[in-house]
Amino acid sequence: MVAGTSLIDFTEATPRPRALDVRWIHGSPSAKHNTDPDIQVHAYDEHTFILRQNMAIDYEAPFLFLLFGNERAVLIDTGATASAEYFPLRRVVDEIVDGWLDQHPRERYHLLVLHTHAHGDHVAGDGQFADRPDTTLVAGDLATAWEYFGFAEDPDAVARVDLGGRVLECLATPGHHEAAVTFYDPWTGFLLTGDTVYPGRLYIQDWPTFVRTIDRLIDFSDRRPVTHVLGCHIEMTNRPGVDYPIRTTYQPDEPPLQLTTGHLREIRAALKEIGDQPARRAHPLFILWPNP
Ligand SMILES: [Zn+2]
């Protein structure tokens, strides 16, 4: 820290749950005539940004998260599209960072890029950050990510990523993907669950591992104030248990992105009822979906 920089105190005892009643961009009947921004930016608070990729660029329309600390920001995931022309993630992130630094001047400020997991719709924009100054990008693959978080040595560890007074807690949460990571942010109370838990089709690659992950997430959440459980997609409709078919590019009837720890318990109860033989099962806001 340099003299004159104002330090933000991110260590307030309990995060206050804020409303998240955002009208997310959700595609259009004709992708060609879509007039939404390429990337929607929602400021949850002045240090916390939620981004959504336009469905007309890629039907996956993933959510991304940009969290600011005193010394660096972290971008969690880089979206579903590599091209900076079609999907200008680097430009949008740089604009948010510049705006934040205008309000909170610092001589040097770093950007860390991490991932919820290594599926293509979460890492495609990585290349846009390759030549960015003052940037560390940790690839999302198992070998690289597990080494970075220390999960290679101890998969049950809670890894800490300090952004400068804002210390994220990170858990290895495989099941959907072998290198899935869940992030807890004590400033907002967000539990960022990637594609492990979200309002959509929960594709389960490894059933027993997924069961164990849900148990761990509940156990972890019991000891932390969790305000919102936020995954990376919305695939459900507002009709309980009914999802939009895969590759849908117009979802006018989406439920909110945010879930609660109650949904973690609902998932656990469903898994318990199903037992050892993986089976598909729809609940109002998610569908357990074992991969073939
Ligand atoms: Zn995904």
Side-chain angles (χ1 to χ4, degrees), residues 21-287:
D21 50 354
V22 190
R23 186 66 175 145
W24 297 110
I25 55 172
H26 51 265
S28 49
S30 160
K32 185 180 171 183
H33 299 101
N34 187 291
T35 55
D36 292 329
D38 296 327
I39 301 166
Q40 179 180 11
V41 177
H42 172 71
Y44 177 78
D45 63 33
E46 68 171 310
H47 311 300
T48 308
F49 295 81
I50 305 174
L51 284 58
R52 189 183 204 185
Q53 178 168 355
N54 189 320
M55 209 162 266
I57 304 170
D58 191 292
Y59 73 89
E60 292 278 13
F63 290 84
L64 299 72
F65 303 88
L66 181 61
L67 315 177
F68 288 79
N70 279 303
E71 286 159 29
R72 54 182 176 165
V74 64
L75 173 65
I76 298 175
D77 285 355
T78 61
T81 304
S83 161
E85 186 186 344
Y86 295 124
F87 178 59
L89 179 63
R90 163 79 180 275
R91 176 173 63 72
V92 167
V93 166
D94 283 352
E95 283 169 6
I96 302 170
V97 170
D98 288 349
W100 190 87
L101 285 172
D102 282 345
Q103 296 300 312
H104 310 280
R106 270 134 176 82
E107 230 162 59
R108 291 198 71 182
Y109 198 70
H110 199 83
L111 178 69
L112 175 65
V113 182
L114 301 175
H115 303 88
T116 60
H117 62 298
H119 282 151
D121 53 320
H122 302 264
V123 304
D126 278 9
Q128 296 186 32
F129 296 87
D131 62 348
R132 191 185 186 278
D134 275 325
T135 300
T136 302
L137 185 141
V138 180
D141 66 280
L142 184 71
T144 312
W146 259 218
E147 179 68 29
Y148 174 80
F149 289 107
F151 300 149
E153 209 160 286
D154 180 5
D156 292 330
V158 177
R160 286 178 175 75
V161 172
D162 190 350
L163 306 177
R166 185 175 189 175
V167 185
L168 307 184
E169 294 184 294
C170 316
L171 280 78
T173 49
H176 167 72
H177 182 277
E178 60 176 1
V181 178
T182 293
F183 300 85
Y184 175 72
D185 170 31
W187 166 249
T188 56
F190 285 176
L191 190 68
L192 304 176
T193 46
D195 284 3
T196 301
V197 175
Y198 67 96
R201 293 177 291 275
L202 308 184
Y203 295 118
I204 302 170
Q205 192 67 48
D206 181 330
W207 187 270
T209 301
F210 186 85
V211 171
R212 188 165 179 279
T213 278
I214 296 299
D215 281 341
R216 272 198 86 205
L217 286 176
I218 291 170
D219 187 55
F220 178 85
S221 309
D222 280 347
R223 292 175 281 112
R224 308 282 188 294
V226 175
T227 54
H228 297 294
V229 175
L230 300 174
C232 287
H233 301 277
I234 302 173
E235 292 161 355
M236 300 309 286
T237 71
N238 271 317
R239 289 172 58 204
V242 179
D243 57 330
Y244 282 106
I246 189 167
R247 291 189 181 79
T248 299
T249 56
Y250 180 45
Q251 302 190 166
D253 193 31
E254 289 182 344
L257 172 65
Q258 62 270 26
L259 297 173
T260 67
T261 53
H263 293 106
L264 300 179
R265 292 175 198 288
E266 190 179 335
I267 292 168
R268 178 165 71 179
L271 291 167
K272 204 166 189 180
E273 274 186 39
I274 296 168
D276 293 339
Q277 291 303 313
R280 192 180 299 180
R281 179 163 156 162
H283 278 238
L285 279 171
F286 58 85
I287 303 175

